Amino acid sequence: MFIKKALPALALLALCACGNKPPQKTNVLNRNPQKNTATRPSSSGNQPNQTVFTKPEQVTRNNQQNNTPEVTKRPEREKETYTPPPASNDAAAYSYRSPQYYKRITDSIQFYAKPSYEKTVDEIINQIAKNPSQKKNPAVNAQWYASVNFNIRKPNFVVLHHTAQNSAEQTLFTFSITRTQTSAHYVVGRDGVVYQMLNDYVRAWHAGNSKWGSITDMNSCSLGIEIDNNGEEPFSDAQITALIKLLDYLKDQHGIPQSNFIAHSDIAPSRKSDPSKYFPWKRLADAGFGYWYDTYNMQTPPADFNALLALRVIGYDISNQASAIKAFKLHYIQNDVSGTLSEYDKKVLYSVYRKF
């Protein structure tokens, strides 16, 4: 009787014990641990909030990523194509050395001059493009380490000339042929037309053997501007207006200081006298290009004032004292270009000297 009553209780107890079986312990040192199927995606699809692991991509020598920075190739430089002007039947009507005569010849020369210009520019670019390791400097005995902080050098002076010729067309012709070995960045015509002949960043051949301060190679740090004038005539208003507009652009573009707008005669006092005594330096100084003395409040220099030292401070080469004085007076006095300084000249010099 007791057994019949106890059997249902024992069966219930056994059923409960089977449902609460403790989990098996896992040996973490086992070489073949049981696979954890909790994160394996089911065949019926992923469950919500279930983490799915993807197999990482194996990197081999054949499919490894290239982490080297891509070097941007220089685009092909655009070059101007030039077609020679058509033959003119009225060439005989042009008088010898007239502006029309020189224009016709220069237009024809440009068919050869422009490709020559492009060739020289390409040679300059190829030189600049070489990095220091390719230049093979024998004094460098270590590998090349590149700096990223640089840009192209810019002009810091403007040197003004008069052409000493009879027309802008004649000057354009002069700068278009190789035998003259002279050039400038800009030519300003009598009518106010401004011609650009060279890129501002290339070295023109306009200053020659010259010196200003401690600089002995003015061609390498200056822009040359030729003003169409034969040296024996006043400069036209249209011409000076156009020149001031050009100087304003160059000053802003290259950050040229006001003191660095100078004359060819300033940097080559023994050789040159341009621009002539007719050039309106005061008008340029009033516009912010170069200095001028205080006309209405000139002071008498002190007793120990050294005129030659003042000229040297301004920038003049005083190795030939008389030439330096003449160059100064051509720029600032103009109506007297002798090689001696009067008391008035010394006042002018002292006023200008104080601005430097």
Side-chain angles (χ1 to χ4, degrees), residues 4 29 35 70 89 91-92 108 124 128-129 139 145 149 175 179 196 200 220 231 252 275 295 311 331 337:
K4 290 182 179 180
L29 301 180
K35 295 181 179 180
E70 183 179 355
N89 296 326
S108 300
I124 294 173
I128 295 175
Y145 287 86
N149 307 310
F175 293 160
R179 71 171 182 266
Q196 182 170 5
D200 288 353
S220 294
D252 180 69
T295 310
L311 287 171
H331 190 134
V337 292

Side-chain angles (χ1 to χ4, degrees), residues 323-348:
S323 296
I325 293 173
K326 287 180 180 179
F328 171 81
K329 294 177 70 171
L330 178 63
H331 190 134
Y332 294 98
I333 306 299
Q334 297 190 317
N335 60 356
D336 172 23
V337 292
S338 63
T340 58
L341 291 170
S342 67
E343 292 303 316
Y344 176 80
D345 299 339
K346 290 179 182 179
K347 290 182 180 180
V348 172

Side-chain angles (χ1 to χ4, degrees), residues 183-185 198 202-207 219-220 222 224:
S183 60
H185 295 87
L198 293 173
V202 304
R203 182 180 185 272
W205 302 344
H206 65 96
N219 278 336
S220 294
S222 66

Side-chain angles (χ1 to χ4, degrees), residues 51-65:
T51 302
V52 179
F53 296 98
T54 58
K55 183 179 179 181
E57 181 182 358
Q58 185 176 6
V59 179
T60 65
R61 203 163 36 176
N62 295 329
N63 68 353
Q64 63 182 350
Q65 296 179 352

Side-chain angles (χ1 to χ4, degrees), residues 153-211:
R153 291 177 176 178
K154 65 180 183 64
N156 197 43
F157 288 84
V158 171
V159 179
L160 300 177
H161 311 249
H162 70 236
T163 61
Q165 295 186 321
N166 296 318
S167 67
E169 289 78 8
Q170 183 179 1
T171 302
L172 298 176
F173 167 77
T174 301
F175 293 160
S176 298
I177 56 178
T178 57
R179 71 171 182 266
T180 59
Q181 295 291 286
T182 185
S183 60
H185 295 87
Y186 297 90
V187 176
V188 182
R190 285 175 170 83
D191 53 1
V193 175
V194 177
Y195 306 87
Q196 182 170 5
M197 303 201 73
L198 293 173
N199 186 298
D200 288 353
Y201 291 96
V202 304
R203 182 180 185 272
W205 302 344
H206 65 96
N209 184 17
S210 56
K211 188 175 186 291

Side-chain angles (χ1 to χ4, degrees), residues 24 58 76 81 143-144 160 180 205 218 231 241 258 270 296 300 310 318 331 340 342:
Q24 293 183 356
Q58 185 176 6
E76 187 69 20
T81 57
Q143 66 173 327
W144 170 46
L160 300 177
T180 59
W205 302 344
M218 289 300 296
T241 300
Q258 180 174 349
S270 299
Y296 301 104
T300 301
I318 60 172
H331 190 134
T340 58
S342 67

Side-chain angles (χ1 to χ4, degrees), residues 13-26 34:
L13 180 63
L15 181 62
C16 292
C18 291
N20 295 302
K21 183 179 179 180
Q24 293 183 356
K25 295 182 178 180
T26 301
Q34 293 182 355

Side-chain angles (χ1 to χ4, degrees), residues 36-187:
N36 184 0
T37 60
T39 58
R40 180 181 299 173
S42 63
S43 58
S44 61
N46 298 335
Q47 299 297 325
N49 301 323
Q50 184 177 9
T51 302
V52 179
F53 296 98
T54 58
K55 183 179 179 181
E57 181 182 358
Q58 185 176 6
V59 179
T60 65
R61 203 163 36 176
N62 295 329
N63 68 353
Q64 63 182 350
Q65 296 179 352
N66 183 11
N67 294 324
T68 304
E70 183 179 355
V71 178
T72 303
K73 294 184 178 179
R74 289 189 297 273
E76 187 69 20
R77 190 170 64 87
E78 294 184 5
K79 299 181 181 180
E80 181 180 350
T81 57
Y82 181 75
T83 304
S88 176
N89 296 326
D90 58 348
Y94 299 151
S95 59
Y96 182 59
R97 292 190 174 182
S98 66
Q100 296 81 5
Y101 167 86
Y102 280 115
K103 185 179 186 309
R104 180 174 177 275
I105 295 179
T106 305
D107 287 347
S108 300
I109 289 175
Q110 289 299 299
F111 181 69
Y112 305 98
K114 288 187 177 179
S116 178
Y117 175 96
E118 299 287 356
K119 180 181 177 181
T120 302
V121 169
D122 285 338
E123 291 174 355
I124 294 173
I125 291 174
N126 290 334
Q127 287 294 321
I128 295 175
K130 290 182 179 179
N131 64 50
S133 67
Q134 297 171 315
K135 298 289 285 186
K136 305 302 180 184
N137 185 337
V140 176
N141 55 11
Q143 66 173 327
W144 170 46
Y145 287 86
S147 174
V148 297
N149 307 310
F150 69 99
N151 55 16
I152 196 169
R153 291 177 176 178
K154 65 180 183 64
N156 197 43
F157 288 84
V158 171
V159 179
L160 300 177
H161 311 249
H162 70 236
T163 61
Q165 295 186 321
N166 296 318
S167 67
E169 289 78 8
Q170 183 179 1
T171 302
L172 298 176
F173 167 77
T174 301
F175 293 160
S176 298
I177 56 178
T178 57
R179 71 171 182 266
T180 59
Q181 295 291 286
T182 185
S183 60
H185 295 87
Y186 297 90
V187 176

